[in-house]
Amino acid sequence: HFTERNWRVFIHDDGRLPPEASPAFVKMLPGVRGISAVEADRTVLDTLASYPACREYRLAHPLARKIFDIPIHTRADRFIILDSDLLFFRKPEVILRWCDDGKDQCWFNRDVHEALPISRSQVREKLGIDLWHRVNSGLCLLQKSAIDLNLCERALRETNLATKNLWLVEQTLFAICASARGRGGLLPAEYEISKKPNASPDVVMRHYVGAVRDRFYAEGMGRLKKTLFP
């Protein structure tokens, strides 16, 4: 609605979508393509056969599908990842410029604080990479070639990344890959992540992270309804 463009939309199922979900998505978004967990497993696990640490992590946590499945499945050079707890309220000019300019860059939400399962110094020592600060992968604008499976394998094997806080591993792998590429950065503040009850008045988008997930409905949907149906 806000971009006034048509998009090739893919919905990746982590295996927990109910049977009625896919027909509902198709009804709401004509042309949407669903990728089932079974279909993804067949393709991705074969691709990761040469990357045993990546494959082990992929089998261990559903969020691993973001860092592996989407780059493996897409035929595009660049793509956008949207978590299902995002709402847009205005035209996302920054995203549209990224789509149009063709630059080899990766961009992410700015998290409310640093959320890493390992230290930045360990990443620097083991991988020789200075990590970008406060990367959140709820919204990602990505260059496919930036997602380096060899680098992900090294990160999982040579650091203790996968030994705790598995829900942060995928986000950290995105940060490692993008920081190694070194082109792009963090989206401006109007692409908001916050723990406030209400989004700032001028936000383009808000990512309703776990601490404020209830506000997706109590604040976000009501605000969006007023915009779409004044």
Side-chain angles (χ1 to χ4, degrees):
H1 174 82
F2 291 113
T3 63
E4 299 178 332
R5 299 189 186 189
N6 291 321
W7 300 87
R8 296 180 65 208
V9 178
F10 294 81
I11 295 175
H12 288 256
D13 176 15
D14 67 0
R16 294 179 291 182
L17 280 179
E20 64 272 18
S22 291
F25 288 137
V26 171
K27 184 178 180 180
M28 287 188 292
L29 300 166
V32 70
R33 162 87 193 281
I35 298 180
S36 71
V38 173
E39 176 187 358
D41 287 348
R42 187 166 51 243
T43 303
V44 174
L45 294 178
D46 284 349
T47 302
L48 295 180
S50 301
Y51 304 93
C54 292
R55 194 176 191 277
E56 181 179 354
Y57 166 54
R58 169 60 169 70
L59 291 168
H61 201 280
L63 281 176
R65 295 174 182 271
K66 287 177 65 178
I67 185 70
F68 299 132
D69 295 32
I70 299 174
I72 287 171
H73 276 95
T74 187
R75 297 179 182 178
D77 293 330
R78 299 190 302 164
F79 56 93
I80 299 172
I81 295 179
L82 304 169
D83 276 5
S84 58
D85 54 358
L86 309 180
L87 288 175
F88 284 80
F89 304 106
R90 292 194 292 121
K91 191 171 187 176
E93 300 283 4
V94 172
I95 293 177
L96 295 177
R97 284 198 297 272
W98 175 84
C99 291
D100 294 337
D101 66 23
K103 290 182 180 178
D104 175 8
Q105 297 177 342
C106 298
W107 295 88
F108 302 91
N109 274 146
R110 183 189 301 272
D111 215 332
V112 291
H113 52 71
E114 202 75 81
L116 296 170
I118 57 175
S119 67
R120 298 171 56 82
S121 60
Q122 184 182 164
V123 175
R124 186 181 303 113
E125 176 187 345
K126 298 292 186 180
L127 304 176
I129 296 169
D130 287 318
L131 275 182
W132 293 348
H133 288 272
R134 293 168 59 182
V135 168
N136 181 285
S137 61
L139 168 60
C140 311
L141 314 181
L142 294 169
Q143 181 76 23
K144 181 176 179 178
S145 58
I147 309 304
D148 184 344
L149 291 180
N150 289 304
L151 181 55
C152 291
E153 183 73 9
R154 283 189 60 206
L156 291 167
R157 292 173 69 91
E158 297 177 22
T159 75
N160 61 356
L161 178 59
T163 61
K164 57 181 179 179
N165 297 339
L166 281 182
W167 62 92
L168 295 174
V169 172
E170 151 269 328
Q171 182 166 279
T172 307
L173 289 175
F174 275 125
I176 288 171
C177 288
S179 301
R181 176 62 65 95
R183 293 190 285 275
L186 301 181
L187 293 165
E190 57 262 32
Y191 294 79
E192 182 178 288
I193 298 179
S194 72
K195 295 184 179 180
K196 301 181 299 183
N198 296 317
S200 301
D202 60 345
V203 295
V204 170
M205 180 223 82
R206 189 179 187 188
H207 180 190
Y208 291 86
V209 292
V212 291
R213 185 66 45 76
D214 62 304
R215 303 304 295 167
F216 183 98
Y217 302 99
E219 184 249 349
M221 294 299 288
R223 180 173 177 170
L224 189 61
K225 182 179 178 181
K226 292 176 185 177
T227 304
L228 296 178
F229 307 105

